[in-house]
Amino acid sequence: TDENGHAQVSVELPDTLTTWRLSAKAITADTEVGEADVDIVSTKDLLVRPTAPRFFVVGDAAELAAVVHNNTDQPIEAEVALSAEGLIVAGGSKQAAVPAHGKKKVSWEVAVDNVEEAKLLFSAKGGGLSDVVELTLPVYHYSTPEVVATSGQLTEAGERLEAVYLPEELSPGRGELTIQLEHSLAAGTRDGLDYLEHYPYACIEQTVSRFLPNVITYRALRKLGIEREEMAAKLPQQVSVALQRIYAEQHYDGGWGWWLADDSDPYLTAYVLLGLNEARRAGFAVNKEVIERAVEFLKGSFVKLRDVEHPYQANTQAFVLYVLAECGEGDLGRTVALYERRDILESYGKAYLGMALALLAPEERTRLDSIVSDLVSSAQLSATGAHWEEEERDYWTMNTDTRSTAIVLEALTRLAPKSEILPQAVRWLTSARREGHWETTQETAWTLIALTDYLVATEELEADYSYRVSLNGEELAEGTATSENLDEQRKLVVEIDELLRGEANRLLIECQEPTGKGRLYYSAHLRYFLPAEEVRAESRGIVVARQYSPVDEPDRFITGASVGDTIRVKLTIVAPNDLHYLVVEDPLPAGCEAIDMSLKTASVVGERPELVRLGEEEGWGWWCFSHTELRDEKAVLFATHLPKGTYEYTYLMRASIPGRFSVKPARAYLMYFPEVWGRSDGAEFRVARSTDK
């Protein structure tokens, strides 16, 4: 400070037009203290503020606007323009007379093209001043894509012919045939890991699944001498973010639920503990107290075998025993006792039990050989390989036949690494992929873990062959696989309009092996879209319907509103049976925004989202949905367990952008059993200017 106690500081502000608050705190040698705040507005003499939605749907028609602000003492004649990629803009640049210290609104009619994203450039120029704002908005398709696939592997010189047929009804110009070639299983893990990393939701299971396969795969590949620099760079941050979320969501009893509001669940807690233990093994700093509390919770979760009423309880106990053994906290007595009652276990439960016994009593081969015999004899053999099917589905443990196959493969790789059934299980799992991953996060995580450990056990590290791929007689690619490029994969993309209609497209994969080493893995995925008019309400185990109404007239249903209006959205969900791990997604019209009642500025609306079960007292059932999210493009509900019945969920949205907007169907599905789903009709919602009648 100077002799008067005044200080001056210079700060370079970021390139952001906003209000900054500078806080100053002072103390003297005599411990006199003081503080002051000052607001600093960073702005420009001439600036343009776009008025646009947060996303578009193909086919939308909207009115976009730019508000030009003049912060000078003189009026400005400004030239205002909108240029865009992915949008058809009606009209070019426009003149706007902007008064001193005033603003002027300029608008354009636009139509959304068939693209993946739209780039908008708003500009204003006048009086020797200028400003430009660029926006990139996602463009969603009206319907979700349909995907069909095939895959296989060539282990010796030869060729494989696949026939690809297009459906009779499809939306032209949308979709593609993707052929993926992988020199080894190491290359085949890339897309699955990417799928887990970018999965759109983050319950506790998905938080662990994001990093657990990465940690195991990275450690295994390094052991095999394969370096993935990108994975090595991202892994520390990925694990760190996951650990902080895990710590924050641990319950007072030491366990975890699917979401923070759920009760602690032994199976999920064991899965989290497995992830923490693998992270610790990989050298990451993991909170010791968090692990100890989780171990104590799991030790207190055991059910006496005579009290087991449902298969999932025994399967859960097998998993808990396995994870505790991995953590050095195994219980050999309980494990042996469960072995004596292994008839109550499903295949994946026996696999967990076998891995636990191998860790606790590896020299006792009699028990291990019995479990191996049980698993091998129960395998289902087919032309696509070997897999395992369970008599009943364990909904609570998120298990499917694909996940069971992966867990059994993991167990047999450890217990019987030379078993002849292992390559057949690998073949079945690689054939079950869709676009590089499996149907759920649990299937993908466990399959990646199993394939990685199989890769280590078999040391599939040598390759020496060449390959060629052609479609309808035209060569698409050729290449050579060697021990130096085992980790590489190759993707070939053919646009759907380039494929033959009304007859088979002939996809030929040829392989030549000069030394007879290695194997070529391939997969082909055809992605196409149904025409918008073909998308109708459908139920595959869940019924979903959606209605819009004015906020003050809930019984009057509408298909449009005016800018500034508040609209009540009502979703009706019919569950014919109890549902487990349910997700409900309700896409918004691009011209509207959901009102987030957790924000203070939204409290004036005075009506929070509500869920009621019809036939029950009003308000009952809100607890069924343990987590909700309001995103730019949709509202999302999550329920760990939804008892059968009929439910109505209501929330509010506000019309903000004029236009005609396509609204994708509301959709409900089981997170870990995606074949159980339902959707509503699609809709068109119109938003008029507030002055229009």
Side-chain angles (χ1 to χ4, degrees):
T1 60
D2 61 18
E3 65 275 10
N4 298 317
H6 294 160
Q8 190 174 47
V9 61
S10 177
V11 178
E12 183 176 347
L13 298 177
D15 186 15
T16 303
L17 306 184
T18 186
T19 300
W20 302 92
R21 173 157 293 177
L22 178 65
S23 297
K25 302 180 187 296
I27 184 170
T28 71
D30 298 329
T31 66
E32 295 177 323
V33 298
E35 64 177 341
D37 294 330
V38 62
D39 288 345
I40 304 170
V41 178
S42 59
T43 186
K44 298 179 68 175
D45 289 336
L46 179 71
L47 65 90
V48 58
R49 179 168 55 85
T51 300
R54 300 175 188 267
F55 67 95
F56 286 113
V57 174
V58 173
D60 281 352
E63 180 183 292
L64 304 187
V67 180
V68 182
H69 293 257
N70 176 8
N71 295 321
T72 71
D73 296 327
Q74 302 295 326
I76 293 178
E77 287 291 332
E79 180 182 359
V80 190
L82 167 62
S83 60
E85 297 179 14
L87 300 182
I88 301 172
V89 182
S93 60
K94 300 184 179 183
Q95 297 296 317
V98 190
H101 299 288
K103 58 186 178 181
K104 185 71 173 181
K105 181 178 180 181
V106 179
S107 59
W108 297 265
E109 299 289 337
V110 302
V112 183
D113 212 343
N114 182 17
V115 294
E116 298 297 327
E117 64 179 20
K119 293 184 178 180
L120 287 64
L121 193 70
F122 295 85
S123 63
K125 180 171 61 177
L129 304 170
S130 65
D131 187 29
V132 176
V133 176
E134 184 180 71
L135 299 176
T136 300
L137 304 179
V139 177
Y140 300 108
H141 294 283
Y142 185 78
S143 62
T144 55
E146 303 287 335
V147 180
V148 293
T150 185
S151 63
Q153 53 185 284
L154 294 171
T155 58
E156 56 186 21
E159 61 183 36
R160 188 72 54 81
L161 179 64
E162 301 280 2
V164 182
Y165 292 89
L166 297 185
E168 293 183 4
E169 296 292 334
L170 55 80
S171 182
R174 299 170 60 190
E176 66 283 324
L177 173 66
T178 302
I179 303 110
Q180 185 161 305
L181 307 170
E182 296 157 351
H183 297 172
S184 71
L185 284 177
T189 63
R190 288 181 178 272
D191 284 348
L193 293 172
D194 185 67
Y195 161 78
L196 292 173
E197 180 184 351
H198 296 96
Y199 194 77
Y201 305 120
C203 71
I204 199 67
E205 179 273 321
Q206 290 140 15
T207 299
V208 175
S209 294
R210 270 189 172 88
F211 77 88
L212 174 58
N214 273 286
V215 169
I216 293 175
T217 302
Y218 178 68
R219 193 171 69 234
L221 293 182
R222 290 199 65 182
K223 182 179 178 180
L224 296 174
I226 299 175
E227 294 288 342
R228 283 188 179 174
E229 295 182 1
E230 184 181 358
M231 179 184 288
K234 292 194 302 184
L235 196 57
Q237 180 183 9
Q238 191 178 56
V239 174
S240 177
V241 170
L243 290 179
Q244 295 308 313
R245 187 180 186 96
I246 288 169
Y247 298 161
E249 296 196 7
Q250 187 175 30
H251 296 163
Y252 70 92
D253 60 6
W256 287 269
W258 201 43
W259 296 101
L260 182 60
D262 289 326
D263 293 335
S264 294
D265 179 83
Y267 194 94
L268 285 171
T269 300
Y271 188 61
V272 176
L273 181 58
L274 180 64
L276 295 175
N277 189 59
E278 290 296 337
R280 182 172 60 178
R281 284 180 176 175
F284 294 98
V286 180
N287 190 311
K288 182 179 178 182
E289 182 182 351
V290 171
I291 289 181
E292 290 174 347
R293 292 175 59 204
V295 168
E296 289 306 309
F297 170 81
L298 290 176
K299 287 183 176 180
S301 69
F302 290 116
V303 178
K304 292 182 180 180
L305 294 179
R306 64 172 178 268
D307 296 331
V308 170
E309 297 179 356
H310 303 285
Y312 82 85
Q313 294 174 301
N315 295 320
T316 296
Q317 193 149 312
F319 183 51
V320 170
L321 289 168
Y322 159 63
V323 173
L324 289 176
E326 286 279 10
C327 296
E329 298 285 345
D331 187 329
L332 182 58
R334 288 185 182 274
T335 306
V336 172
L338 185 56
Y339 169 81
E340 299 298 334
R341 290 288 315 279
R342 64 187 184 280
D343 57 297
I344 63 176
L345 294 172
E346 301 284 5
S347 294
Y348 79 99
K350 292 178 182 178
Y352 287 142
L353 180 64
M355 290 189 287
L357 286 170
L359 291 168
L360 298 174
E363 71 287 346
E364 185 57 58
R365 285 300 311 182
T366 302
R367 298 190 187 101
L368 297 179
D369 291 342
S370 294
I371 290 178
V372 170
S373 176
D374 289 347
L375 293 175
V376 172
S377 63
S378 62
Q380 303 291 315
L381 302 178
S382 66
T384 57
H387 69 284
W388 281 261
E389 297 178 0
E390 309 292 13
E391 292 185 9
E392 295 183 13
R393 280 195 168 176
D394 279 358
Y395 286 98
W396 284 114
T397 62
M398 304 163 286
N399 194 59
T400 64
D401 291 340
T402 299
R403 196 187 74 159
S404 281
T405 301
I407 295 169
V408 171
L409 173 62
E410 171 73 2
L412 292 179
T413 299
R414 297 189 186 190
L415 307 180
K418 298 187 180 299
S419 173
E420 295 181 357
I421 207 167
L422 291 177
Q424 298 183 62
V426 170
R427 181 185 177 191
W428 191 90
L429 285 170
T430 55
S431 298
R433 284 184 302 180
R434 295 294 181 267
E435 298 186 297
H437 61 84
W438 291 262
E439 282 197 294
T440 73
T441 53
Q442 274 288 290
E443 288 184 359
T444 301
W446 278 107
T447 302
L448 291 175
I449 292 170
L451 292 180
T452 299
D453 285 348
Y454 174 80
L455 176 66
V456 174
T458 57
E459 297 184 346
E460 187 187 292
L461 295 175
E462 295 184 357
D464 186 14
Y465 61 84
S466 60
Y467 60 86
R468 180 177 179 271
V469 180
S470 60
L471 180 66
N472 297 328
E474 295 186 11
E475 182 177 300
L476 295 180
E478 62 177 356
T480 301
T482 67
S483 298
E484 283 70 40
N485 61 11
L486 276 175
D487 195 34
E488 293 182 5
Q489 61 179 192
R490 192 168 182 181
K491 285 187 179 180
L492 311 171
V493 179
V494 181
E495 297 300 326
I496 201 162
D497 287 345
E498 298 177 22
L499 298 176
L500 301 176
R501 300 285 295 269
E503 61 179 292
N505 291 269
R506 301 174 304 283
L507 176 63
L508 182 65
I509 302 99
E510 301 173 87
C511 182
Q512 296 179 343
E513 298 182 280
T515 64
K517 294 181 179 179
R519 63 187 64 194
L520 174 67
Y521 296 87
Y522 73 88
S523 61
H525 298 86
L526 176 65
R527 187 175 75 116
Y528 61 92
F529 291 82
L530 294 175
E533 59 271 14
E534 297 294 326
V535 180
R536 294 287 184 266
E538 190 167 351
S539 171
R540 300 285 180 87
I542 309 173
V543 178
V544 184
R546 175 180 57 202
Q547 294 170 318
Y548 300 116
S549 62
V551 69
D552 52 352
E553 299 180 74
D555 295 328
R556 182 168 69 89
F557 303 122
I558 59 176
T559 58
S562 297
V563 171
D565 287 353
T566 300
I567 303 109
R568 175 185 281 105
V569 185
K570 182 174 73 173
L571 297 177
T572 302
I573 305 158
V574 181
N577 304 291
D578 288 6
L579 301 176
H580 299 76
Y581 303 109
L582 172 70
V583 182
V584 181
E585 299 174 334
D586 182 31
L588 300 167
C592 299
E593 295 192 4
I595 299 176
D596 188 348
M597 294 304 300
S598 66
L599 303 176
K600 291 182 179 180
T601 53
S603 61
V604 295
V605 178
E607 183 176 320
R608 293 186 174 276
E610 182 183 34
L611 175 78
V612 296
R613 184 180 184 183
L614 299 187
E616 300 284 345
E617 293 182 6
E618 187 173 354
W620 185 96
W622 60 269
W623 51 268
C624 287
F625 284 92
S626 51
H627 184 71
T628 61
E629 295 179 6
L630 294 180
R631 301 193 171 194
D632 287 349
E633 77 284 8
K634 60 187 173 184
V636 192
L637 313 174
F638 302 88
T640 305
H641 175 229
L642 192 72
K644 65 179 181 180
T646 301
Y647 301 82
E648 287 185 353
Y649 178 78
T650 58
Y651 68 96
L652 302 181
M653 68 180 186
R654 180 177 288 115
S656 56
I657 302 291
R660 174 179 51 79
F661 304 99
S662 297
V663 192
K664 296 171 62 177
R667 181 168 172 256
Y669 60 95
L670 300 190
M671 180 78 76
Y672 303 104
F673 308 92
E675 68 274 14
V676 181
W677 59 275
R679 70 179 177 218
S680 71
D681 286 321
E684 181 180 274
F685 196 84
R686 294 177 178 265
V687 179
R689 301 183 187 90
S690 56
T691 56
D692 290 350
K693 302 298 183 183

